[in-house]
Amino acid sequence: MDFLTVNLLFIFFFLFLIHSVETLAYAVRLSGARVRMIASALSLFNIMVIVSRLANMMQQPFTGSLIDSAPTENTLEFVENQFRVLIGASTLGTLFGIVLLPTFIALFSRAIIHLSEEKGSVPALIKKGMTFEFIRRGVKHFSLPKLSYLKNINIEDIPINLFLVNLIITAIYTIGVLSALYAALLVPDKATTAIMASGLINGVATILLVIFIDPKISVLADDVVNQRGSYLTLKSISLLMITSRLLGTLFAQVLFIPGAKYVAWLTKFIV
């Protein structure tokens, strides 16, 4: 257990928060459809996505430092153990976000309404959110997931292909940086090339997410607001996405080493 360093635990906490935020972002569309204010909801959704992406970029240098501080003996095994712990942080962070999902659906519903009252001013919304009265009322909305939340959900409304695509994209995004860093150890003569591939991997995963997943959820949310679809269907699909995201972080454990070997193999074709 000598691989459990202070730096590793710091990055673990960082990744835990990142994946918690990205999971809770699913609550924003549900809240927007709930109060029939999708445009305002998307503004909050975009803020959460930007924050999570920025946080992900910030943690990358710290993750890279794990390579620099690794011992010269059994380096691959040492780093692999550390990186698997970090992948575990993404799973726990996603699970934590799922636990808080009902609470944040209620909180985001209020936040969207207040954002409208503040004429779209996010700083004013944040200022109001920091007041004691707002926090006191927010605490009252805390609730844990219940089995009744799954009531009336129709399995036929759940597209399996969407489930699998989101699972794979999540897995790729989870191990993008880690596989690239590990690949640098597999091909030390091409280490810099392998490390720089992390941006390409995450970029492709983000593009796939924007093309295949986000539009479908947005259309479902619009249908609810325009009374062409049901909130129950939107909730079913959102729960599907969150579940596939959780399983994707678990699949990342399987994909980690093959992904690193694939990146190492690709570097051979880059002169």
Side-chain angles (χ1 to χ4, degrees), residues 141-271:
H141 289 287
F142 178 80
S143 61
L144 295 174
K146 301 176 182 177
L147 289 177
S148 59
Y149 198 70
L150 302 176
K151 186 179 180 180
N152 297 327
I153 287 182
N154 191 353
I155 300 297
E156 295 179 355
D157 292 334
I158 299 178
I160 300 301
N161 58 338
L162 197 65
F163 182 93
L164 294 175
V165 169
N166 193 55
L167 187 153
I168 293 171
I169 291 174
T170 300
I172 294 173
Y173 181 76
T174 300
I175 54 97
V177 174
L178 301 179
S179 288
L181 287 172
Y182 193 82
L185 295 175
L186 298 178
V187 284
D189 56 321
K190 294 269 192 173
T192 305
T193 304
I195 291 173
M196 294 303 292
S198 65
L200 178 62
I201 296 170
N202 283 351
V204 170
T206 301
I207 291 172
L208 292 175
L209 186 68
V210 171
I211 292 176
F212 292 105
I213 306 299
D214 285 349
K216 292 183 178 295
I217 307 299
S218 296
V219 168
L220 287 172
D222 285 339
D223 286 345
V224 174
V225 174
N226 295 321
Q227 298 182 344
R228 294 195 301 264
S230 69
Y231 180 79
L232 184 61
T233 300
L234 177 62
K235 185 172 74 170
S236 301
I237 299 297
S238 296
L239 290 175
L240 162 77
M241 293 295 98
I242 294 171
T243 302
S244 66
R245 177 179 175 80
L246 178 63
L247 295 178
T249 61
L250 294 173
F251 183 56
Q253 295 281 4
V254 178
L255 205 61
F256 168 51
I257 295 298
K261 291 180 178 179
Y262 180 69
V263 173
W265 176 76
L266 280 180
T267 60
K268 297 178 181 179
F269 300 94
I270 301 176
V271 180

Side-chain angles (χ1 to χ4, degrees), residues 70-101:
T72 54
E73 296 182 359
N74 299 321
T75 303
L76 289 176
E77 181 182 356
F78 185 88
V79 173
E80 180 182 347
N81 289 335
Q82 288 193 319
F83 283 4
R84 290 198 181 280
V85 169
L86 295 182
I87 296 173
S90 67
T91 301
L92 292 177
T94 302
L95 192 59
F96 184 69
I98 292 174
V99 171
L100 292 180
L101 189 68

Side-chain angles (χ1 to χ4, degrees), residues 104-126:
F104 273 79
I105 290 176
L107 291 178
F108 283 141
S109 297
R110 293 179 58 83
I112 292 168
I113 294 173
H114 285 294
L115 181 63
S116 176
E117 294 174 351
E118 298 295 340
K119 307 299 182 182
S121 174
V122 174
L125 177 64
I126 294 175

